[in-house]
Amino acid sequence: MSVFCPASEVMLRHADEFTERRVLFAGDLQDDLPCQFEAREVRVHCSQYHHWRQLARTLGEKAQFSLLPPPELIDGCDTLIFYWPKSKQEAQFQLNALLNQLPIGTDLFIVGENRSGVRSAETLLADFGPIAKMDSARRCSLYHFRSERQAQFDVSQWWDEYQVDDVIVKTLPGVFSRDGFDVGSQLLLSALENVKGKVLDVGSGAGVLSAILAHENPGLNLTLSDVNAAALESSKATISANVLQAKVIASDVFSDIEGRFDFIISNPPFHDGLQTNLTAAESLIRGATKHLQLGGRLCIVANAFLPYPDLLDATFGSHEVLAQTGRFKVYQSILGRPSAAPKDKKATKKR
């Protein structure tokens, strides 16, 4: 039996409304409700690769993963069910892209947890038609409106950029490190030494960590991966803007990763949407041994309270703390290092 997120439970309270509709699901989907939803037709646009992998097993080509929804996916749909993401700017970006293609008269149902800022839908969508709250339950809100005009949308206007020393960073809404080089990744970068060979950056975000490493260590063989479509496009743009060479691929941790690496680096997420979720980081640690060369290093930065040391020890036999602050720790484990190796160097390095 499927376990639905609170927003999906609210949608199920109105399931009878959709039985004769051609429905497009989009936004920050958290479960497999589209696979079980009763409607004349169901299609799904996923901006998260791991969500797409889950839904595509059942829906096939009716579920697609991309930054922007392809016209053929939208064609013929008369209803949009949009799950509000945790970033207001990301919601605005996605809704404008959808309203640019959806025909006038399309019914839109906007649902999300109140703490996500879903109430912002009332102001963001006011210019496209009258909007009304349909329901409030499970600490979520559900809104409905019928579009009266299409949005103007040009993806080039949504790009931002900033610089870290000589490195240009390109970003889109919803991307980690969108507004600047985050302090956790800075600490990770400060702790990395003798980086060479093949490097895998898992959860690359805007690509800032890899771009700086490549700038400082010419000749690296870089692979960047992420589940977020906007992050993948941002990583590609950052690599291109700095005239660097790297492979950028969509992968749910190691789902699409081939080969072995000398370094695996990551600032792994511990949220999926608004929910705390350590699954990706746990999969990263457990799966790293199959993707490291003998003597290869896994280096991650994480909030100090997260329970990764025991998992690193269980997987690798030992770990070291390369750097730490009051908030973050940088952990390293080496494939093939004896379990008697010292676990905590407690060395805080500054760049």
Side-chain angles (χ1 to χ4, degrees):
M1 180 179 294
S2 295
V3 177
F4 295 121
C5 68
S8 290
E9 291 179 353
V10 173
M11 291 307 308
L12 286 171
R13 288 158 58 99
H14 304 270
D16 292 345
E17 172 75 34
F18 301 96
T19 54
E20 296 303 317
R21 294 176 179 265
R22 300 183 186 278
V23 178
L24 173 67
F25 281 85
D28 192 20
L29 300 164
Q30 296 293 319
D31 53 43
D32 66 349
L33 178 64
C35 299
Q36 305 178 45
F37 202 68
E38 294 187 11
R40 178 173 293 184
E41 186 175 10
V42 173
R43 304 177 192 175
V44 186
H45 175 250
C46 300
S47 58
Q48 300 286 336
Y49 189 66
H50 56 309
H51 297 162
W52 170 79
R53 292 182 74 233
Q54 177 187 13
L55 297 172
R57 295 187 190 106
T58 301
L59 296 175
E61 293 184 357
K62 291 186 177 180
Q64 295 195 28
F65 166 74
S66 58
L67 175 65
L68 303 175
E72 62 271 16
L73 188 67
I74 289 179
D75 186 39
C77 292
D78 55 36
T79 301
L80 171 69
I81 296 176
F82 183 81
Y83 283 64
W84 195 266
K86 62 181 179 180
S87 161
K88 178 180 176 180
Q89 193 175 40
E90 183 180 8
Q92 189 174 17
F93 173 82
Q94 293 181 6
L95 282 170
N96 272 265
L98 288 159
L99 285 168
N100 176 251
Q101 296 192 57
L102 288 166
I104 293 173
T106 300
D107 283 306
L108 277 77
F109 295 84
I110 314 295
V111 66
E113 294 188 42
N114 295 328
R115 60 178 176 151
S116 72
V118 66
R119 295 186 182 96
S120 300
E122 297 182 30
T123 54
L124 285 183
L125 296 172
D127 291 340
F128 300 99
I131 183 169
K133 181 182 283 190
M134 286 182 60
D135 200 355
S136 182
R138 303 285 283 123
R139 298 181 181 177
C140 296
S141 295
L142 172 63
Y143 293 89
H144 168 262
F145 87 108
R146 183 170 290 132
S147 63
E148 295 182 352
R149 69 181 184 88
Q150 289 182 303
Q152 299 298 312
F153 182 80
D154 180 355
V155 68
S156 66
Q157 296 180 1
W158 291 86
W159 283 99
D160 281 337
E161 71 173 58
Y162 60 89
Q163 285 199 213
V164 180
D165 296 327
D166 295 327
V167 173
I168 300 168
V169 184
K170 309 283 284 187
T171 65
L172 285 168
V175 177
F176 185 65
S177 292
R178 172 171 171 77
D179 299 318
F181 192 22
D182 67 286
V183 293
S185 294
Q186 289 181 45
L187 186 66
L188 174 58
L189 183 67
S190 75
L192 295 175
E193 295 181 342
N194 301 317
V195 181
K196 56 187 177 182
K198 295 180 64 178
V199 179
L200 172 63
D201 182 356
V202 178
S204 58
V208 55
L209 188 57
S210 284
I212 294 173
L213 277 176
H215 182 75
E216 296 182 350
N217 302 274
L220 290 182
N221 184 334
L222 276 170
T223 298
L224 289 69
S225 73
D226 208 294
V227 295
N228 184 310
L232 292 167
E233 294 302 319
S234 297
S235 285
K236 292 175 184 176
T238 295
I239 292 298
S240 177
N242 293 281
V243 198
L244 300 169
Q245 296 294 320
K247 182 187 297 183
V248 181
I249 61 174
S251 183
D252 181 6
V253 191
F254 294 117
S255 67
D256 292 66
I257 301 298
E258 297 180 353
R260 292 181 178 266
F261 298 83
D262 299 292
F263 278 82
I264 297 176
I265 59 173
S266 185
N267 184 347
F270 63 99
H271 289 96
D272 191 355
L274 292 170
Q275 310 304 320
T276 299
N277 190 335
L278 304 182
T279 302
E282 292 173 352
S283 297
L284 171 68
I285 293 170
R286 290 194 177 99
T289 57
K290 297 179 181 178
H291 293 278
L292 283 170
Q293 308 277 9
L294 187 62
R297 294 190 256 171
L298 171 67
C299 299
I300 65 173
V301 62
N303 289 71
F305 66 85
L306 292 172
Y308 296 149
D310 289 346
L311 184 56
L312 287 164
D313 289 347
T315 304
F316 286 87
S318 67
H319 76 276
E320 301 166 279
V321 176
L322 298 183
Q324 62 183 315
T325 64
R327 184 179 174 190
F328 296 103
K329 288 186 177 182
V330 176
Y331 299 105
Q332 174 177 274
S333 286
I334 301 176
L335 185 63
R337 168 171 285 189
S339 59
K343 292 185 177 182
D344 194 342
K345 291 170 60 176
K346 293 184 178 177
T348 304
K349 303 180 179 65
K350 293 183 180 179
R351 211 167 190 80

